[in-house]
Amino acid sequence: MSHASTTAESEDSSTIDTALSTESRDDRSSRPDETVIRSSGLDVYYGEDQALDGIDMEIPARKVTALIGPSGCGKSTFLRSINRMNDLIDVARVDGDLYFRRKNVYDADVDPVALRRKIGMVFQKPNPFPKSIRDNVAYGLRVQGKTDDVDGRIEEALRGAALWDEVEDRLGESGLELSGGQQQRLCIARAIATDPEVILMDEPASALDPVATAKIEDLIEDLAREYTVVIVTHNMQQAARISDKTAVFLTGGNLVEFGDTNEVFSNPENDRVEDYITGKFG
Amino acid sequence: MPRESYQNQLADLERRVLEMADLVTERTAQSLEAFTYKDEALARTIIDGDAEVNERYLELEGACIDLLALQQPVAGDLRFVAASFKIITDLERIADLATNLGQYTLQAERNRYPDIDISYIGEEALSMVGSAMTAYETRDTALAREVAARDDEVDDRCERASDLVVRDLIETEVADETTFADVRRMFLTIRDVERVGDHAVNVAARVLYMVENDDELIY
């Protein structure tokens, strides 16, 4: 994984941790329209193949931003470049800039692990650790070094993930004993226990039944009161239901349209987007 | 093309809305004819036929709701279904106004206002409905805007007709119950014909929204 920044210096030389260490979520609550993630001319290559082509996007705070588009269009690649998950792929290369607040996340002094605490991720398939429900959430606290009031913090995270009422009597049971939907909410609890600012979700409900999906969708809307949520989904109705902003990626790793969800779904500017969302191609 | 059945349902909805418009336009033209020539048999046909229009309306309302519930149309498709949903309401109201004309025809014992040519006003309003539906079929926004502009002409004709009724009432020295009934009925007739034009403008407004996402005529 290499990064060739096309612009000179990041706008802020502080590390991710120091850039944000002085604020809690409550401090941030007064500026909901501020941009949290800004990508500028972002290209991603896998070897010779270009997966993203000059993506410019500003993701607003405490909103749900949905990334939609056909398979292979680059939406998951974009999601993963936000918290440098693409670092884990040897042949991946990134050009351009991606700012988390005022910090370019591809600067040499950014610790990807610290970055991923601030920008958590929930995957398509729930992946709880083969440990107790309590330990799954406590892990998130441990990586943050938070050792005081662990039980209180576990309860807070599980409540935040709308799971507490279903598991409060069996915190010692294995996370793998839970249903698929509960496992996914456990993973969300684990993610929010690290006190992130942004939660990335890669098709978080695609493996779930409609009832579990509805709970996750309700939860996503609740989470957006405190967190910035970016979600990749293949389910366009889901994007329409839960997101405030929609980004449409089409073939070739191009971001073709980005705007308010109600505008994109009622009056898209781009004819190809219209054809895609009405099902005429894709 | 993907979603072929869905595309067919959209095409089918459009075809049926246009058929409903043909039916309503034909009945309204007949109601004007019945009113003008005091053709009571024709008037009764119009009144009895309203149930068929209502039935068509309910069928099409169901088709729109099914499309929304089952296919979740978006973008241009959504605007088409939403516009069609509103347009069928206007068509159904126009048919109600045609039914009113049929009833006025039966109620009137004489033509107190030979100088007022209701069919002259009505035909203009009906022609607006025809143009609005052509705009719907051909996605012709220029034609839709033209329909809206023509409404002033219908309003002017209705105003002049109303003036004649008022003048007649003032000049009538002793107005009896029959006179009052004639006046009331003629005002209602003028108002109803004028409303046909208003519904045509509503249809044109929905066409503009459907094609260009433009709501300038809606409010």
Side-chain angles (χ1 to χ4, degrees):
Chain A
M1 167 81 207
S2 63
H3 172 247
S5 181
T6 51
T7 57
E9 305 256 330
S10 79
E11 295 172 21
D12 190 321
S13 60
S14 57
T15 65
I16 292 294
D17 275 343
T18 56
L20 292 163
S21 61
T22 55
E23 358 184 80
S24 66
R25 283 199 304 278
D26 290 341
D27 296 330
R28 300 193 292 260
S29 65
S30 58
R31 350 170 244 209
D33 293 329
E34 158 184 43
T35 296
V36 174
I37 305 288
R38 180 165 63 83
S39 91
S40 172
L42 190 77
D43 299 329
V44 174
Y45 299 86
Y46 295 125
E48 295 297 309
D49 297 327
Q50 185 164 10
L52 285 181
D53 185 3
I55 305 300
D56 295 322
M57 199 194 305
E58 294 192 353
I59 295 175
R62 292 147 59 89
K63 302 266 191 230
V64 179
T65 296
L67 313 180
I68 64 170
S71 297
C73 63
K75 55 192 188 301
S76 288
T77 297
F78 179 74
L79 189 80
R80 285 157 179 272
S81 37
I82 296 173
N83 72 346
R84 291 183 53 173
M85 294 291 283
N86 287 325
D87 286 18
L88 308 174
I89 301 169
D90 286 342
V91 295
R93 182 167 62 87
V94 177
D95 284 337
D97 299 305
L98 199 143
Y99 290 95
F100 171 45
R101 297 206 170 277
R102 295 169 56 203
K103 181 70 182 167
N104 189 334
V105 304
Y106 287 98
D107 278 352
D109 63 350
V110 171
D111 171 7
V113 176
L115 175 70
R116 290 175 203 141
R117 281 204 295 273
K118 288 294 171 193
I119 306 180
M121 186 128 185
V122 175
F123 297 88
Q124 179 177 3
K125 201 167 168 229
N127 57 347
F129 302 132
K131 291 174 179 293
S132 68
I133 294 166
R134 177 187 287 109
D135 286 349
N136 263 277
V137 183
Y139 170 84
L141 298 171
R142 250 195 325 273
V143 296
Q144 246 193 319
K146 288 186 175 167
T147 51
D148 62 315
D149 190 22
V150 171
D151 285 347
R153 290 174 190 272
I154 287 173
E155 179 177 339
E156 188 187 356
L158 286 167
R159 283 190 187 281
L163 188 59
W164 174 255
D165 293 345
E166 294 165 52
V167 300
E168 61 176 313
D169 299 330
R170 47 181 181 138
L171 294 174
E173 286 180 25
S174 168
L176 299 174
E177 299 288 313
L178 298 171
S179 71
Q182 288 172 326
Q183 286 186 18
Q184 195 60 302
R185 281 179 282 144
L186 179 60
C187 294
I188 292 170
R190 189 176 64 195
I192 62 181
T194 66
D195 191 31
E197 188 169 351
V198 180
I199 302 175
L200 309 177
M201 297 186 170
D202 195 353
E203 298 186 55
S206 64
L208 304 179
D209 70 29
V211 173
T213 297
K215 283 186 183 169
I216 295 287
E217 289 184 3
D218 287 348
L219 175 57
I220 288 169
E221 292 190 74
D222 289 343
L223 289 172
R225 295 199 191 108
E226 286 191 63
Y227 309 96
T228 301
V229 179
V230 187
I231 175 172
V232 164
T233 177
H234 271 121
N235 182 333
M236 277 188 280
Q237 280 71 42
Q238 182 173 70
R241 280 194 297 269
I242 63 172
S243 72
D244 303 289
K245 293 274 188 180
T246 295
V248 187
F249 288 76
L250 294 179
T251 45
N254 289 300
L255 173 64
V256 182
E257 187 153 345
F258 178 58
D260 290 343
T261 295
N262 58 345
E263 283 294 317
V264 172
F265 280 93
S266 66
N267 186 34
E269 288 177 9
N270 186 288
D271 289 344
R272 290 168 66 210
V273 171
E274 169 110 17
D275 285 350
Y276 175 68
I277 64 174
T278 56
K280 294 189 181 78
F281 97 97
Chain B
M1 180 181 286
R3 300 186 76 186
E4 197 173 336
S5 147
Y6 165 58
Q7 297 300 332
N8 289 340
Q9 285 177 51
L10 292 175
D12 190 52
L13 175 64
E14 179 176 325
R15 181 182 56 74
R16 290 164 67 195
V17 170
L18 289 167
E19 279 174 7
M20 180 180 175
D22 286 344
L23 179 69
V24 168
T25 313
E26 187 189 333
R27 281 181 196 282
T28 310
Q30 287 174 338
S31 73
L32 288 169
E33 188 184 331
F35 186 87
T36 305
Y37 299 107
K38 197 159 170 48
D39 184 337
E40 295 193 2
L42 188 56
R44 283 201 182 85
T45 311
I46 305 299
I47 294 165
D48 294 344
D50 192 46
E52 186 190 345
V53 176
N54 293 342
E55 208 169 291
R56 293 266 187 120
Y57 169 78
L58 287 172
E59 284 170 12
L60 286 170
E61 185 183 87
C64 290
I65 289 171
D66 282 352
L67 271 162
L68 292 169
L70 305 178
Q71 301 288 357
Q72 290 110 34
V74 293
D77 293 348
L78 175 66
R79 297 200 307 275
F80 163 73
V81 176
S84 301
F85 200 28
K86 294 293 289 183
I87 286 170
I88 57 173
T89 307
D90 282 300
L91 293 174
E92 194 275 331
R93 289 292 299 135
I94 292 170
D96 286 347
L97 297 171
T99 304
N100 288 354
L101 275 182
Q103 278 161 349
Y104 304 148
T105 303
L106 297 184
Q107 289 163 5
E109 290 174 9
R110 54 182 176 160
N111 185 1
R112 187 181 171 85
Y113 304 101
D115 294 340
I116 298 178
D117 190 346
I118 285 297
S119 68
Y120 169 68
I121 309 171
E123 277 161 16
E124 174 63 13
L126 209 47
S127 160
M128 286 167 60
V129 176
S131 295
M133 291 312 300
T134 302
Y136 170 79
E137 185 178 9
T138 59
R139 284 24 179 194
D140 186 340
T141 52
L143 186 58
R145 288 194 170 86
E146 198 183 298
V147 169
R150 281 165 64 189
D151 195 40
D152 288 345
E153 173 62 24
V154 172
D155 289 350
D156 281 349
R157 290 181 190 186
C158 289
E159 203 174 313
R160 286 200 294 274
S162 298
D163 286 349
L164 285 174
V165 180
V166 172
R167 192 163 298 128
D168 171 72
L169 187 61
I170 291 168
E171 287 169 359
T172 302
E173 288 182 8
V174 182
D176 57 10
E177 279 304 315
T178 313
T179 308
F180 276 125
D182 286 342
V183 169
R184 196 164 49 235
R185 195 160 42 244
M186 188 44 102
F187 273 134
L188 289 174
T189 305
I190 295 166
R191 183 200 66 178
D192 285 359
V193 175
E194 192 260 332
R195 281 192 177 172
V196 172
D198 292 343
H199 286 296
V201 175
N202 288 351
V203 171
R206 297 298 161 181
V207 171
L208 215 52
Y209 161 75
M210 175 176 92
V211 181
E212 292 184 347
N213 194 46
D214 186 339
D215 61 3
E216 73 168 73
L217 293 177
I218 292 178
Y219 302 108

